[in-house]
Amino acid sequence: MPATTPSSTGEVTASGKPFVLLVSLVGGKPIPYPFDQPRVLVGRGLDADLRIEHAGVSRWQFLVERGLGSAGEPRFRITPYEATNPTYVNDRPAVEGTIVPGDVVAVADVRVVLERKIDKRVKRNKQDLPPARMILLTAVVAMALLVGYLFFGGGEDESAGELATAQTKLFGAMLEVRCANPVECDTRAHDAYARAKKFLAQVGADPGNLYRATLEFDKASRFRDQSGRPLPDMADVSALEDQARARAEAEFADAKFRLQRALAAGDARRCAVEAAALAHIVPDESHPYRVKLDAYRRSLPKPKQKGIGE
């Protein structure tokens, strides 16, 4: 069985009682992982709620969301993400939609089954915490949410509030590039083009590569223009730059929206997950948005993760 790590607060939310995801390899014994939050990100990345260290699982593989039906019954939805190995539900390609207890989610030779029952031995709640520790934890979470509001939702700092709006720009003015002669311009254009193509091919491993690819495609295009030569072997550089930019901005907007939802829900743990995802999408630590994002992340309580044997 691949190394698997759950990350859960232990607090039962309004969405219902804790539920269990059974994880196994094909033919192996399933291992239960209880969750009580409304959203569970499954993948190989460090920011996953259910982290499955298996070569066939992508950093972000799929998302399981829990809500309530009209009669108060629990409802579950799955959202598959674009990944090297596709996600299947009951042997069919997964699409965003409802899943029910007993459904089998497959990725490569990993199987994840939704089950409602939970072992009482692993159930935890707020009463398990000593009163003093509970007060301290509540204070830390409240402070983190307040900082999040000031950075992303309003406050006197208007520039910080703009980080939570759709108008926040991922790409500003591009840096000027210079080359001494046509030969140097050609060489630097091809080098930047090659780096950009490499970044684009590795987006699945790191979403920040979309940002890096866009910058390198822009450099390649500028060097090509300065060379004064057509360079037919990189005739698609402008189109590839536009595609990479559009994908990066879409990922950025989607990640900001998820963070806004977490802030609105007052879920500090989910805020930490979504803020970490945003940091991957904006890899430039000097980017104005990233600077404020990192300041917010430092204000959040550090999550404590436990492995299978702990």
Side-chain angles (χ1 to χ4, degrees):
M1 178 65 201
T4 313
T5 305
S7 176
S8 178
T9 62
E11 297 180 6
V12 179
T13 69
S15 297
K17 296 180 179 180
F19 64 98
V20 170
L21 294 177
L22 302 173
V23 183
S24 67
L25 292 175
V26 173
K29 182 179 179 181
I31 300 176
Y33 294 97
F35 294 93
D36 45 38
Q37 66 262 40
R39 293 157 54 95
V40 175
L41 175 63
V42 180
R44 197 177 70 243
L46 294 175
D47 51 352
D49 299 299
L50 177 58
R51 186 183 177 201
I52 302 177
E53 296 184 18
H54 186 280
V57 177
S58 293
R59 195 174 64 85
W60 290 5
Q61 188 69 42
F62 62 89
L63 177 72
V64 175
E65 295 181 280
R66 178 183 57 183
L68 291 177
S70 58
E73 75 281 9
R75 292 284 183 87
F76 297 88
R77 291 180 61 83
I78 185 172
T79 301
Y81 295 125
E82 183 177 348
T84 303
N85 289 312
T87 302
Y88 291 85
V89 175
N90 299 332
D91 298 324
R92 295 184 177 182
V95 296
E96 184 175 356
T98 301
I99 56 174
V100 298
D103 281 351
V104 179
V105 182
V107 180
D109 59 347
V110 175
R111 299 294 180 267
V112 179
V113 180
L114 173 63
E115 182 174 295
R116 266 199 298 257
K117 286 187 176 181
I118 182 169
D119 189 337
K120 292 182 179 179
R121 292 174 299 176
V122 298
K123 184 177 180 180
R124 299 176 56 210
N125 54 43
K126 293 181 180 179
Q127 283 69 35
D128 292 332
L129 294 173
R133 185 178 176 187
M134 191 65 209
I135 293 172
L136 178 60
L137 179 60
T138 301
V140 171
V141 170
M143 180 61 69
L145 291 174
L146 175 61
V147 172
Y149 172 76
L150 294 176
F151 273 117
F152 299 100
E156 296 180 357
D157 187 351
E158 294 182 1
S159 62
E162 289 175 358
L163 291 174
T165 71
Q167 286 72 38
T168 303
K169 291 184 177 180
L170 178 59
F171 298 101
M174 295 297 190
L175 295 176
E176 292 294 329
V177 297
R178 298 182 182 278
C179 45
N181 54 66
V183 174
E184 181 188 346
C185 292
D186 287 1
T187 300
R188 298 187 70 175
H190 282 101
D191 288 347
Y193 182 75
R195 288 193 298 269
K197 293 287 287 285
K198 184 176 180 180
F199 283 136
L200 207 56
Q202 297 175 347
V203 169
D206 183 353
N209 283 335
L210 281 172
Y211 179 89
R212 299 183 182 99
T214 301
L215 298 185
E216 292 299 329
F217 278 133
D218 179 77
K219 289 180 184 178
S221 179
R222 290 169 182 261
F223 280 127
R224 182 193 61 178
D225 293 344
Q226 290 187 34
S227 75
R229 302 179 182 182
L231 303 183
D233 55 333
M234 45 184 291
D236 59 350
V237 63
S238 295
L240 290 175
E241 179 188 350
D242 290 342
Q243 293 173 12
R245 182 190 297 270
R247 289 177 61 189
E249 290 177 340
E251 291 278 354
F252 182 53
D254 186 54
K256 285 194 301 173
F257 176 71
R258 293 197 303 268
L259 178 58
Q260 285 177 288
R261 287 177 58 184
L263 285 166
D267 188 340
R269 183 181 167 281
R270 195 70 216 170
C271 286
V273 171
E274 302 299 356
L278 266 167
H280 286 296
I281 292 170
V282 189
D284 181 3
E285 295 183 357
S286 65
H287 191 291
Y289 185 91
R290 177 65 187 270
V291 171
K292 291 184 177 180
L293 178 68
D294 287 346
Y296 169 60
R297 293 180 67 198
R298 287 192 293 270
S299 74
L300 291 168
K302 301 298 181 183
K304 183 179 181 181
Q305 295 187 347
K306 292 186 177 181
I308 295 176
E310 297 183 31

